[in-house]
Amino acid sequence: MSHRPDPAHDHRHDEGEVHEHDLGLQHDLGTLRRRGLGRRGMLGIFGGLGVAAVAVGCGTDTSSTADTATSTRPEPPAGGGGPGAGGAMGGDASVEVADGEIPEETAGPYPGDGSNGPNVLSESGVVRSDITSSFGTATGVAEGVPLTLRLKVYDLTGDDVEVLAGAALYAWHCDRDGAYSMYDGDAMQENYLRGVQETDADGWVEFTTVFPGCYAGRWPHVHFEVYESLDSATSATTKLRTSQLAFPQDVCETVYATEGYEDSVANLAGVSLDSDGIFADGYSLQMAKVTGSVEEGYVATLNVPI
């Protein structure tokens, strides 16, 4: 898909006077294109929408972004695509990413989408909102601070900015101990913290989960893939985009001070957004806006323009 960003804003000055930046999104997009604004500039503008309260639907408050990961990470399986796995950082080079779209990133070595071993997308029960527990014959439940993920998918085709209704989004992340279900240690027999949802009429999907831990060398994150529809969400070969969501540092530090996240404290201290292999080249479009508390649970919101 070929796309552009969504810099919605509404500032009025002298009463009755209409300024250039009051003329609406389509005007803004045309102006940005005429000015030849590059990818970084466009990312910054759309990224502001993902990190601040904006008209495109993120209704939560901002949280700060951040800095700073050590303990050992399980070795990726043969053929994996994560850090140290044959230079697979950076995602699928065959996927075209236009200015303002969320970056294409690696699915890592633990995708569970059939591209590296097991394929949870082929299992009955994967379409679900609550991903804290395993399904099918697996019975495990992931423990941790409650987290709600809310992602809004946009189609930035041509000059139009539209919500992408009826698409499918597959989300997955590590557990509190930094392990990925279907691949790591005791979690290998589980399939929790993986699920697919269909975007509603407004482009939203929502998942109930737990806050992921931080493992050595990576900033805390959630992986996701966008598919054209539920029918096409059967393997990585049909995905439209693979990307990752990042969490603000202050929220991570607060969560990791709680019981069960002890290993994450040292791991977070040993990494930064600027040193992370995924986010070092920019994360404005990928930084979630997070509200809430340890006691009440957190809500992480992100716009996903593709």
Side-chain angles (χ1 to χ4, degrees), residues 122-264:
S122 65
E123 298 184 16
S124 176
V126 71
V127 179
R128 63 210 185 115
S129 178
D130 189 337
I131 62 175
T132 54
S133 61
S134 292
F135 61 95
T137 59
T139 59
V141 178
E143 301 293 334
V145 172
L147 173 68
T148 298
L149 293 172
R150 302 192 73 235
L151 298 96
K152 188 168 187 176
V153 184
Y154 289 86
D155 180 0
L156 305 186
T157 302
D159 294 338
D160 298 324
V161 178
E162 300 176 349
V163 296
L164 192 55
L169 189 144
Y170 166 44
W172 74 97
H173 62 83
C174 71
D175 63 19
R176 182 172 63 180
D177 299 321
Y180 284 87
S181 67
M182 308 176 75
Y183 292 89
D184 283 353
D186 293 340
M188 185 180 297
Q189 306 305 318
E190 306 295 343
N191 52 24
Y192 53 52
L193 307 183
R194 299 178 184 274
V196 176
Q197 279 285 283
E198 182 179 32
T199 59
D200 66 16
D202 296 317
W204 286 105
V205 294
E206 183 172 300
F207 295 94
T208 300
T209 186
V210 296
F211 205 95
C214 179
Y215 52 85
R218 278 306 319 274
W219 190 259
H221 61 282
V222 172
H223 296 266
F224 59 90
E225 292 173 343
V226 180
Y227 292 81
E228 186 175 3
S229 66
L230 284 177
D231 288 341
S232 66
T234 57
S235 76
T237 58
T238 56
K239 55 103 175 179
L240 301 175
R241 183 64 46 84
T242 304
S243 198
Q244 298 183 26
L245 169 158
F247 292 96
Q249 180 179 3
D250 58 347
V251 176
C252 294
E253 290 174 340
T254 300
V255 171
Y256 296 160
T258 65
E259 183 179 359
Y261 287 95
E262 290 82 3
D263 289 345
S264 293

